[in-house]
């Protein structure tokens, strides 16, 4: 499992590199090489590492381990076909991790990045009503049972398309340089991660690589079913490119607009869930 | 039960009371435990504020007395969160959730800032009001099904839980746990004392995540 974990982390970082490259090419810039995020992680591992004098030391360092730990757990759950509820629970807990990253340093930039993270969590939590929709259709939230259901009834992509849109929005909100990336907006320097340098930032890069792989792979598993490894890889790259297009052509929203749009989608999803609930269940 | 948070790995019974560890509840429990330990060992940060229009900046320092009180409330909050994560009893879940609400008020109300205290007071009123639907939901669960045990409810042999009971439970949890998401009162979640404020956010999110499992049962 360790080899798979390292591969997943490297592949996630490669996807983030592809993401940056595609955005740059759409915006007519050369952009960094696709392996730039892998180089970043390696580079930060050997940089000088310190804890700011104003920081809450144990929390400042400990939160990096928590970030890597939760996404390692999510990867393990995904690989063993565990519960979708755990994976998306971890996704939401990542918001708290960002909050802790931001507040622990004492920096005003980190603090506002963390605050924005919590505000955006308020509008993203209800999006998980789409998880309930998946449960209503398949009768289970275990990934193995969901994929088994899809093998019989066909992909959920067609059966529960509004849930696909909502989950796509969740993915988009986690991609850097996107319309919802208010937590690391440039007016806050690097937002919640401004003060985390050296090995701490390398840990954060590892976490980002794992997070990207887990979220994209879970999206495909849930909505397209169990695919061969090669198709899974191709699907994740295509999904990344589509997200990059959305990020490249959409300006970053203000925090208010970001929350408003996510809340509107949530309202639509609640209506859809209500329809599914009355239509699917006797 | 097995189809939501995974098959229970271990069930501890005290008569009607149940404590169970499934992959889902154990994940949430371990996170509550980790952050509680971090709250115990961490000292608060010194928040830096830049003075508008100049190069000056100030740092906020938390007094030892304030730190001790808020650390105590953060630990109590962590314990309540851990209880809410592993309990297999709907009434116990509502009790732990109410305790999370009370401790969250304590964590932010101890900050020596009128803005934070005002926000804490308003949140306290919301949390207080939310106890009515919260405990009302537990009463409806018992009245409609004759059981408060999540494992019994998950078997599907009892009458279905009324939708209104589930709705009241969610409303109660939202009221108790809205501290970090109370966007109009950002003073609460940007207050100094990161290890304790984080406990506030974490506990709220954990009870949201747990109630998602609870309402899908029965």
């Amino acid at each position: 499992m360790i080899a798979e974990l390292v591969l997943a982390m490297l592949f996630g970082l490669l996807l983030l590199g592809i993401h940056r490259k595609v955005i740059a090419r759409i915006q007519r810039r050369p952009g960094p090489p696709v392996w730039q995020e892998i180089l970043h992680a390696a580079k930060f591992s050997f940089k000088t590492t310190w804890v700011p004098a104003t920081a809450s030391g144990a929390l400042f360092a400990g939160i990096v381990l928590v970030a890597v730990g939760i996404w390692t757990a999510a990867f393990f759950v995904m690989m063993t076909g565990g519960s979708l509820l755990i994976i998306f629970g971890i996704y939401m807990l990542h918001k708290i991790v960002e909050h802790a990253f931001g507040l622990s340093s004492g920096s005003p930039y980190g603090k506002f990045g963390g605050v924005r993270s919590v505000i955006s969590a308020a509008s993203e939590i209800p999006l998980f009503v789409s998880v309930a929709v998946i449960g209503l259709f398949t009768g289970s939230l275990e990934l193995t049972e969901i994929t088994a259901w899809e093998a019989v009834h066909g992909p959920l992509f067609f059966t529960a398309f509004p849930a696909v849109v909502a989950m796509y929005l969740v993915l988009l909100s986690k991609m850097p340089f996107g319309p919802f990336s208010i937590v690391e907006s440039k007016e806050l320097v690097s937002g919640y991660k401004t003060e985390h340098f050296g090995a701490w930032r390398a840990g954060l890069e590892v976490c980002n690589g794992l997070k990207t792989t887990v979220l994209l792979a879970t999206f495909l598993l849930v909505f397209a079913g169990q695919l061969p490894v090669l198709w899974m890889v191709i699907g994740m790259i295509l999904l990344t490119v589509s997200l990059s297009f959305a990020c490249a052509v959409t300006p970053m929203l203000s925090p208010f607009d970001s929350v408003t749009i996510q809340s509107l989608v949530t309202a639509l999803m609640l209506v859809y869930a209500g329809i599914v609930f009355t239509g699917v269940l006797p | 039960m097995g189809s939501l948070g995974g098959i229970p790995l271990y069930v501890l019974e005290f008569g009607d009371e149940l404590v169970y560890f499934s992959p889902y509840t154990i994940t949430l429990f371990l996170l509550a435990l980790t952050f509680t330990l971090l709250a115990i060992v961490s000292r608060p940060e010194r928040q830096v504020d830049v003075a508008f229009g100049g190069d000056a900046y100030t740092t906020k320092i938390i007094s030892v007395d304030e730190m001790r009180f808020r650390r105590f409330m953060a630990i109590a909050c962590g314990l309540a969160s851990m209880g809410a994560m592993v309990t297999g009893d709907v009434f116990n879940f509502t009790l732990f959730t109410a305790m999370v609400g009370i401790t969250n008020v304590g964590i932010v109300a101890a900050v020596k800032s009128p803005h934070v205290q005002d926000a804490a007071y308003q949140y306290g009123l919301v949390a207080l009001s939310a106890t009515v639907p919260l405990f009302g939901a537990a009463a409806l669960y018992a009245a409609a099904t004759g059981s408060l045990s999540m494992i019994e409810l998950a078997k599907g042999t009892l009458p279905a839980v009324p939708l209104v009971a589930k709705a009241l439970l969610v409303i109660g949890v939202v009221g108790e746990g809205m501290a970090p998401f109370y966007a109009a009162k950002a003073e609460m979640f940007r207050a100094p004392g990161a290890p304790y404020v984080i406990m506030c956010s974490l506990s709220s999110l954990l009870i949201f995540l747990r109630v998602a499992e609870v309402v899908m049962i029965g």
Side-chain angles (χ1 to χ4, degrees):
Chain A
M1 190 61 85
I2 299 291
E4 284 94 335
L5 191 69
V6 173
L7 271 176
M9 183 267 290
L10 291 174
F11 184 59
L13 289 172
L14 188 68
L15 289 176
L16 289 174
I18 292 171
H19 177 63
R20 287 186 68 182
K21 188 73 175 178
V22 172
I23 290 177
R25 296 307 297 144
I26 292 169
Q27 294 171 346
R28 297 186 177 182
R29 294 183 285 111
V34 290
W35 50 81
Q36 184 60 47
E37 295 297 315
I38 298 174
L39 297 181
H40 260 147
K43 178 186 77 177
F44 280 122
S45 303
F46 301 103
K47 285 271 188 185
T48 308
T49 300
W50 75 90
V51 176
T54 55
S56 167
L59 185 64
F60 185 87
I63 200 65
V64 179
L65 298 178
V66 173
V68 176
I70 59 171
W71 286 105
T72 303
F75 178 74
F76 182 74
V77 171
M78 186 193 73
M79 292 293 282
T80 52
S83 174
L84 193 60
L85 211 52
I86 301 178
I87 294 176
F88 286 106
I90 286 173
Y91 170 91
M92 290 318 306
L93 285 161
H94 186 77
K95 288 283 172 189
I96 303 303
V97 168
E98 288 176 354
H99 191 201
F101 261 100
L103 282 193
S104 64
S105 65
S107 156
Y109 304 113
K111 178 174 75 175
F112 284 108
V115 166
R116 286 184 179 187
S117 175
V118 174
I119 291 174
S120 56
S123 56
E124 282 176 35
I125 289 176
L127 278 178
F128 288 97
V129 69
S130 48
V131 172
V133 170
I134 293 162
L136 286 174
F137 273 112
T138 62
S140 172
L141 288 178
E142 296 283 314
L143 280 171
T144 43
E145 290 175 22
I146 292 171
T147 48
W149 185 91
E150 285 177 305
V152 177
H153 299 91
L156 275 168
F157 186 88
F158 303 108
T159 320
F161 189 70
V164 178
V165 176
M167 281 296 175
Y168 190 82
L169 200 69
V170 168
L171 288 184
L172 189 59
S173 68
K174 266 286 150 275
M175 293 305 278
F177 316 110
F180 304 108
S181 309
I182 54 173
V183 295
E184 46 193 54
S185 164
K186 284 301 163 199
E187 75 265 18
L188 300 178
V189 189
S190 292
Y192 69 92
K193 57 189 180 187
T194 301
E195 298 293 336
H196 279 78
F197 271 87
W200 314 128
R201 179 64 75 88
L204 187 57
E205 292 288 330
V206 167
C207 157
N208 284 340
L210 276 174
K211 183 182 72 183
T212 306
T213 304
V214 169
L215 288 179
L216 295 180
T218 304
F219 183 88
L220 287 176
L221 270 176
V222 169
F223 293 115
Q226 187 74 54
L227 301 171
V229 176
L230 182 64
W231 280 108
M232 197 72 168
V233 169
I234 292 171
M236 287 167 76
I237 293 172
L238 291 177
L239 198 52
T240 305
V241 171
S242 79
L243 288 164
S244 309
F245 266 88
C247 293
V249 298
T250 319
M252 188 181 291
L253 299 167
S254 69
F256 176 81
D257 291 336
S258 173
V259 170
T260 304
I261 288 179
Q262 287 172 329
S263 303
L264 285 174
V265 176
T266 298
L268 291 174
M269 277 309 295
L270 281 170
V271 173
Y272 175 62
I275 293 167
V276 172
F277 185 71
T278 49
V280 171
L281 295 180
Chain B
M1 183 76 70
S3 62
L4 294 175
I7 298 160
L9 306 171
Y10 177 66
V11 179
L12 184 62
E13 294 188 33
F14 297 108
D16 284 349
E17 307 297 310
L18 286 172
V19 174
Y20 79 94
F21 291 92
S22 69
Y24 186 59
T25 62
I26 205 164
T27 305
L28 303 183
F29 174 85
L30 286 175
L31 277 157
L33 178 66
T34 306
F35 278 86
T36 307
L37 293 174
L38 278 175
I40 292 170
V41 301
S42 302
R43 294 185 70 79
E45 84 291 3
R46 282 178 290 145
Q47 261 190 11
V48 180
D49 270 345
V50 181
F52 185 72
D55 293 334
Y57 62 87
T58 56
T59 55
K60 294 174 185 164
I61 295 174
I62 295 177
S63 69
V64 174
D65 281 346
E66 183 187 324
M67 184 193 81
R68 282 183 182 153
F69 179 75
R70 295 179 70 198
R71 186 168 57 193
F72 168 73
M73 294 308 278
I75 295 167
C77 184
L79 292 172
S81 306
M82 282 183 250
M85 293 311 104
V86 295
T87 184
D89 183 281
V90 176
F91 181 66
N92 284 359
F93 173 74
T94 57
L95 275 179
F96 283 125
T97 301
M99 192 175 160
V100 164
I102 292 165
T103 51
N104 279 354
V105 175
I107 290 170
V108 283
V111 179
K112 299 282 186 291
S113 154
H115 299 296
V116 180
Q117 288 180 348
D118 178 52
Y121 173 71
Q122 292 189 17
Y123 163 59
L125 292 179
V126 174
L128 198 65
S129 315
T131 52
V132 176
L134 190 67
F135 291 117
L140 277 176
Y141 263 77
T145 66
S147 176
L148 286 164
S149 161
M150 293 180 200
I151 290 186
E152 290 299 320
L153 291 169
K155 285 178 183 167
T157 52
L158 298 173
V161 178
L163 198 58
V164 67
K166 294 181 177 185
L168 285 175
L169 190 66
V170 172
I171 291 168
V173 168
V174 168
E176 294 295 336
M178 76 180 298
F181 309 110
Y182 196 2
K185 292 290 168 193
E187 287 83 1
M188 277 192 289
F189 48 88
R190 70 176 186 219
Y196 321 125
V197 174
I198 296 304
M199 204 61 230
C200 216
S201 318
L202 180 86
S203 60
S204 299
L205 185 60
L206 287 178
I207 59 170
F208 282 140
L209 291 174
R210 186 72 211 282
V211 81
E213 185 198 20
V214 175
V215 294
M216 282 194 259
I217 294 170

